[in-house]
Amino acid sequence: MPAGKFYSVLLLTGILLLLIPTAIFNRVVDPFWYYRDIEITGFNSVKPKFRRYERHVKPSVVQREQPASLIFGSSYAEIGFDPMHPALLRAGKSYNFALAGAAWEDVYCHVQYAIANDKALRQIVIGIHP
């Protein structure tokens, strides 16, 4: 085997040996709470940086999971409405799409997005505050 080909194979093998564990670690940690399938108390259950990226992650989660009930609004709805409430779970899966600091124009946009992209949507709860 020529030296150049040996070096290329060795380099690509080394890159793969670095990327595969990194991808597995990122999936387990799930820093943006996108996959939400592995939760280890004391390791990845609390996501302190999620707030910065929730405007990017929540639409993707809604499109992937297709919940039957969605909660919209600002921080009042985000904190005040529990997506695990039995009244919301009667229709199927439920998800809290409310975002802290969301203006009414944003809430309207989120509702329109959900209606267009969530074929399983049966129930919408909108948190209104003065």
Side-chain angles (χ1 to χ4, degrees), residues 32-126:
F32 302 119
W33 205 41
Y34 182 74
Y35 300 106
R36 302 184 308 148
D37 55 357
I38 300 171
E39 188 170 318
I40 303 167
T41 304
F43 178 67
N44 70 346
S45 60
V46 177
K47 314 273 189 234
K49 304 287 184 184
F50 176 70
R51 291 273 177 234
R52 290 189 202 162
Y53 300 99
E54 69 182 345
R55 293 180 191 279
H56 306 286
V57 175
K58 283 189 174 186
S60 300
V61 171
V62 166
Q63 190 170 15
R64 187 183 77 240
E65 291 193 3
Q66 300 286 305
S69 299
L70 282 171
I71 300 168
F72 296 95
S74 63
S75 57
Y76 287 102
E78 184 179 23
I79 295 167
F81 290 117
D82 182 13
M84 301 309 290
H85 191 277
L88 294 172
L89 292 176
R90 274 189 220 126
K93 284 193 289 187
S94 179
Y95 186 70
N96 194 329
F97 198 107
L99 297 168
W104 283 111
E105 295 83 16
D106 297 335
V107 173
Y108 177 74
C109 181
H110 297 152
V111 170
Q112 293 299 318
Y113 174 83
I115 290 171
N117 292 296
D118 188 351
K119 303 304 179 206
L121 187 62
R122 300 286 175 260
Q123 184 173 341
I124 292 175
V125 176
I126 299 178

